[in-house]
Amino acid sequence: MIQIIAFAVLTIATFAIAAPKYLKIRRNILLGQDEETVVDKGLAIRNTILIALGQKKMFKRFIPAIFHLFIYVAFLFTQIELIEIFIDGFFGQHRFFSQALGGFYTVIISTIEILSLLAFVGTLVFLSRRNLIKVPRFHKPEMEGWPKLDGNIILYLELVLLIGITCMNGADQVLQGMGAEHYTDTGNFAVTSWLGPALFGGLSEGTLIGIERFGWWLHILTVFAFINYLPISKHLHIFLAFPNVYYARQTAAGKMVNMPEVEKEVRSMMDPDAAFDESAMEEELPIFGSSDVQQLSWKNIMDAYSCTECGRCTSVCPANQTGKKLSPRKILMDIRDRATEIGEKLDSGDKQYIAEDKRESGEDLSAINFNDGKNLFDYITREEIHACTTCNACVEACPILINPLDPILRLRRYEILTESAGPSDWTPMFTSVENSGSVWAISDDRDKWRDELLAKED
Amino acid sequence: MSEYAAEGKTPEVLFWVGCAGSYDARAQKVTVAFTKILNEADVKFAILGKEEACTGDPARRAGNEFVFQMSALQNIEVLNMYNVKKIVTTCPHCFNIIKNEYPELGGTYEVVHHTEFLQGLINDGRIKLKGGGEFAGKKITYHDSCYIGRANGIYDAPRSVLAGLDADLTEMQRAGSKGLCCGAGGAQMFKEDEPGDTSINVERAGEAIGTGAKVVVANCPFCITMLSDGMKAHNKEEDVMVYDLAEMVVNNM
């Protein structure tokens, strides 16, 4: 009975503490501008099945993909055991599904055990890739400090989970062999039927029950900790990968998002009949492009929260490979960190974060009147966004359809259109395109090559 | 185009030459090579000539939407005035922007890059490649431009054209969807590099040299400039030639 009450209290506490954290992430994502990204729902569903559920793009790199698959499939299947733990925990049952499923239960738990064993191998491989082999993409400047620790914490938690399952099932198998009360025969599990006796054989019934309970609680407590840890971790991708793939933009990778507000302006400039609109002149100068997360698309922000910092984008980026400061992964991490910063400041309600010119009105702090005197350029330097060749390698590399290129281009637009800044090298090109219709200011006729060709033929 | 229009005729296709194809000495050779192929295949084509202007690609990618919109809207006006239906271009940047970004501004056309167009001419038997020509048995490699490759998913057409030359196509390690950029895109062509260890074009040229190929085939005027400069940085400009796919075809048909 005490266990049931403890379980119920902990479950409720876990979700009560975690729910606001997830809602805040949702709120932070929705700080962005609306954008309809899904045109074809069938394609979005197919992508979700193939790319998110089916891990298709992961397999562009086979070795990490296969070990990731072990952990991922083990995670999916273990949910069955987790549901059972919840039923057992709330109703004081023991292995509730075993009575209902009989022999099939043995198959399910055996499958989970084999997958757990594979996940164990995968976890060790990943820990060694991060800490021993030092795969370069895990050791870029943006991976120092918390991101590095975060990556390892997840893997250690994974090991703790596996220890829990092994204790729970292993002791259970030995107890069954001893004919202990409540420990009904579930048949032999694939791994713990031999690992259990090897580890725990010869121990007293009381000790074994202690180990079994320890394993059971360790498992569920780690899950509870996980649920609360995810919102501050890159590991959030286990949930967000699915909606992120579903809502991925479906246009050709080469297509840039249009700016209808600029199009409208240019059309009215080009139209000789258009009356000069004086009211437009009196308005505050509009902001073009993005300097902060509120001017990004909501999908840019979801991309940022979905990123698990694997660094495939950075490892294929031509700028990064040739020693430039740009790292597409860092751009995503910066957007996420800035969105989180804004979220935390909004939660503080502190009126010092209200834009100065709106402070007098007595309004409460909100996303609309927010201004903390900072923006994304406090995280991302000009040098980074200037180094991009728009080659789409990062977009192509991401296993969950994150687009690091789009926010880079939005920042460039802000720099050029709103600040009238940017690399001075570009100014002659802009002037030339505008005035002579060519990227180079050449006074020759555009079809001079043709005249020369015809002259030669004569 | 205006001459066709004056005679009340419609060409089969409009050849969009682009700034590089019009003005850059190296790219002009590609333009000429491609027009020779079109004439050989008896394709009735037109150019806009003085009525063509920059598509606005580098301005847009640099962030200058105003300059892009002005250029694009003027071009669309001209194209729609001549009722253009089909466009072929030797520039992947022009191809991408007219195909993907002009439609929502009111310019919808069938847009084909010359790599695909050449494959079409060969498939239809309008041009025939001489197997056993000057490249037969020679080691060549192919550089995917970003705007034909990843941006638009065209990887096979140029390779199938090259297969007709009986050359020994040796792929670079980073090829196809993993192809490394030449370093020109995103308006990098028009500015100095940001600080780094090396230039992207030097890195890419080095990779091409590493295949042992004597010819690097590209499909983009900016890639050709970048790779040629990269070859110079490696002192290989005499040993490894950088050609456009159209140049490979024109001498072997």
Side-chain angles (χ1 to χ4, degrees):
Chain A
M1 195 58 206
I2 294 169
Q3 284 200 41
I4 297 178
I5 294 167
F7 183 82
V9 169
L10 283 169
T11 307
I12 293 164
T14 297
F15 286 101
I17 298 167
K21 296 185 185 173
Y22 288 92
L23 289 173
K24 279 176 188 170
I25 288 176
R26 182 186 142 81
R27 187 266 323 265
N28 293 352
I29 291 172
L30 295 178
L31 286 173
Q33 303 282 321
D34 290 343
E35 184 190 353
E36 291 284 340
T37 53
V38 176
V39 188
D40 178 351
K41 280 192 178 150
L43 177 64
I45 291 167
R46 275 198 303 283
N47 279 345
T48 311
I49 292 170
L50 280 174
I51 296 171
L53 207 57
Q55 311 268 294
K56 187 179 160 197
K57 285 188 83 183
M58 279 297 286
F59 276 87
K60 290 191 160 204
R61 293 189 188 183
F62 189 78
I63 291 171
I66 197 82
F67 291 110
H68 180 271
L69 187 74
F70 290 163
I71 297 175
Y72 163 69
V73 179
F75 170 79
L76 284 186
F77 271 79
T78 309
Q79 302 314 307
I80 302 170
E81 201 162 4
L82 195 63
I83 293 167
E84 187 182 44
I85 286 180
F86 274 106
I87 296 170
D88 290 353
F90 275 120
F91 301 105
Q93 301 282 320
H94 181 71
R95 294 195 179 264
F96 175 78
F97 287 161
S98 70
Q99 294 127 38
L101 299 171
F104 187 56
Y105 183 77
T106 317
V107 176
I108 290 175
I109 301 296
S110 292
T111 309
I112 292 173
E113 287 197 345
I114 293 166
L115 289 169
S116 299
L117 195 64
L118 292 173
F120 179 65
V121 175
T123 308
L124 293 183
V125 169
F126 283 168
L127 275 170
S128 64
R129 279 169 65 87
R130 277 177 187 269
N131 302 295
L132 298 175
I133 309 170
K134 305 215 175 208
V135 172
R137 63 185 157 108
F138 299 129
H139 295 273
K140 296 278 174 181
E142 69 267 22
M143 295 307 285
E144 278 161 23
W146 169 247
K148 182 177 185 218
L149 181 64
D150 183 25
N152 281 323
I153 287 174
I154 289 298
L155 292 168
Y156 293 137
L157 282 177
E158 180 71 34
L159 290 181
V160 173
L161 267 179
L162 293 170
I163 292 168
I165 293 178
T166 310
C167 289
M168 175 176 109
N169 287 1
D172 200 310
Q173 289 278 292
V174 181
L175 284 163
Q176 287 177 31
M178 295 163 72
E181 206 188 338
H182 299 310
Y183 288 90
T184 45
D185 183 15
T186 56
N188 287 341
F189 297 152
V191 177
T192 51
S193 62
W194 53 269
L195 189 61
L199 289 172
F200 311 123
L203 297 176
S204 72
E205 189 177 312
T207 312
L208 284 167
I209 291 174
I211 294 171
E212 194 274 335
R213 286 291 87 194
F214 167 76
W216 192 89
W217 278 102
L218 185 65
H219 186 161
I220 192 65
L221 288 175
T222 313
V223 171
F224 286 162
F226 224 73
I227 290 170
N228 271 286
Y229 181 68
L230 286 178
I232 58 159
S233 168
K234 64 144 194 146
H235 210 58
L236 191 60
H237 83 290
I238 65 170
F239 297 138
L240 283 186
F242 298 92
N244 202 62
V245 168
Y246 181 87
Y247 286 108
R249 228 182 255 156
Q250 299 179 326
T251 45
K255 184 183 178 304
M256 264 178 86
V257 174
N258 191 31
M259 296 180 74
E261 65 275 33
V262 176
E263 183 192 340
K264 200 179 135 212
E265 194 107 336
V266 173
R267 278 192 196 280
S268 69
M269 268 163 44
M270 284 169 65
D271 182 1
D273 304 327
F276 186 68
D277 188 0
E278 274 190 32
S279 65
M281 291 300 288
E282 287 159 16
E283 279 173 31
E284 213 178 319
L285 270 178
I287 296 172
F288 294 117
S290 314
S291 64
D292 215 342
V293 293
Q294 296 97 319
Q295 298 135 14
L296 293 173
S297 157
W298 71 278
K299 183 59 170 67
N300 297 139
I301 310 172
M302 182 150 86
D303 276 354
Y305 276 106
S306 305
C307 173
T308 197
E309 300 169 9
C310 75
R312 289 176 182 223
C313 52
T314 294
S315 74
V316 296
C317 172
N320 193 276
Q321 289 180 77
T322 52
K324 277 90 177 169
K325 254 183 93 182
L326 174 63
S327 164
R329 167 175 56 191
K330 180 181 171 290
I331 303 288
L332 270 310
M333 292 166 74
D334 288 339
I335 293 169
R336 178 197 62 201
D337 293 348
R338 174 63 182 155
T340 303
E341 184 192 11
I342 294 176
E344 281 166 1
K345 285 181 173 168
L346 286 174
D347 289 333
S348 77
D350 193 332
K351 296 207 169 176
Q352 66 162 310
Y353 300 128
I354 298 178
E356 259 177 60
D357 54 331
K358 290 172 188 154
R359 228 171 268 172
E360 301 306 313
S361 65
E363 295 171 63
D364 284 337
L365 175 67
S366 72
I368 296 158
N369 63 24
F370 180 85
N371 183 354
D372 63 348
K374 288 174 75 179
N375 63 26
L376 267 175
F377 288 107
D378 291 295
Y379 289 76
I380 302 167
T381 61
R382 313 284 165 151
E383 189 180 327
E384 291 165 66
I385 60 166
H386 294 166
C388 177
T389 68
T390 71
C391 78
N392 264 300
C394 54
V395 178
E396 178 74 27
C398 181
I400 56 166
L401 307 187
I402 292 172
N403 185 336
L405 171 57
D406 185 62
I408 294 174
L409 294 171
R410 287 172 189 265
L411 290 166
R412 281 190 178 179
R413 281 174 166 174
Y414 179 84
E415 189 181 40
I416 298 282
L417 300 173
T418 307
E419 295 183 319
S420 302
S424 56
D425 287 351
W426 278 341
T427 315
M429 182 262 288
F430 294 150
T431 314
S432 181
V433 172
E434 190 175 346
N435 296 337
S436 59
S438 159
V439 289
W440 299 289
I442 295 174
S443 55
D444 288 347
D445 283 341
R446 206 172 168 93
D447 51 1
K448 195 177 164 208
W449 61 272
R450 177 174 166 265
D451 300 335
E452 283 169 4
L453 188 67
L454 292 175
K456 250 187 241 170
E457 278 172 8
D458 289 341
Chain B
M1 193 70 214
S2 57
E3 289 162 26
Y4 270 97
E7 291 172 29
K9 287 188 200 158
T10 317
E12 185 179 334
V13 64
L14 174 80
F15 173 27
W16 186 275
V17 185
C19 299
S22 301
Y23 293 118
D24 179 83
R26 178 69 190 85
Q28 280 176 347
K29 292 183 181 166
V30 178
T31 306
V32 171
F34 187 60
T35 54
K36 278 186 184 160
I37 297 169
L38 292 176
N39 285 329
E40 186 76 21
D42 203 21
V43 176
K44 297 275 172 281
F45 72 98
I47 58 168
L48 285 178
K50 296 170 192 66
E51 291 176 287
E52 182 188 289
C54 174
T55 57
D57 165 87
R60 187 173 228 195
R61 267 130 193 98
N64 201 329
E65 186 75 2
F66 272 99
V67 169
F68 159 74
Q69 293 277 352
M70 283 191 277
S71 238
L73 293 172
Q74 280 170 24
N75 279 326
I76 290 167
E77 207 171 312
V78 172
L79 290 166
N80 289 350
M81 177 185 80
Y82 286 121
N83 202 14
V84 169
K85 297 275 182 277
K86 185 172 179 177
I87 298 172
V88 63
T89 174
T90 47
C91 174
H93 296 266
C94 298
F95 165 76
N96 175 71
I97 208 160
I98 301 175
K99 182 182 163 78
N100 295 318
E101 298 176 9
Y102 277 18
E104 66 190 317
L105 303 177
T108 305
Y109 322 99
E110 183 191 350
V111 190
V112 191
H113 185 246
H114 77 304
T115 52
E116 289 180 299
F117 198 83
L118 289 171
Q119 188 196 24
L121 291 179
I122 292 167
N123 289 351
D124 298 344
R126 293 176 74 173
I127 53 171
K128 281 207 171 54
L129 290 183
K130 289 187 292 204
E134 63 173 310
F135 298 110
K138 268 200 188 169
K139 209 176 231 190
I140 63 171
T141 192
Y142 175 72
H143 168 81
D144 292 274
S145 67
C146 304
Y147 277 83
I148 287 302
R150 280 183 293 271
N152 289 289
I154 302 168
Y155 303 109
D156 297 335
R159 287 180 171 81
S160 98
V161 172
L162 286 174
L165 296 171
D166 293 333
D168 172 16
L169 178 65
T170 309
E171 294 285 1
M172 286 181 264
Q173 209 179 357
R174 291 170 282 194
S177 65
K178 291 179 184 159
L180 182 75
C181 176
C182 71
Q188 295 294 333
M189 184 78 191
F190 304 96
K191 66 186 262 299
E192 287 299 315
D193 276 1
E194 298 306 313
D197 304 330
T198 181
S199 294
I200 299 169
N201 61 331
V202 176
E203 166 90 9
R204 185 56 163 172
E207 190 177 1
I209 293 164
T211 63
K214 293 292 161 220
V215 175
V216 184
V217 184
N219 59 47
C220 168
F222 299 104
C223 294
I224 291 175
T225 303
M226 281 300 200
L227 293 173
S228 304
D229 288 350
M231 291 301 167
K232 279 180 205 144
H234 288 279
N235 285 318
K236 290 279 181 190
E237 72 268 30
E238 304 287 333
D239 307 317
V240 185
M241 306 316 289
V242 184
Y243 288 133
D244 185 90
L245 189 69
E247 294 174 302
M248 300 294 284
V249 169
V250 77
N251 292 327
N252 292 281
M253 54 180 206

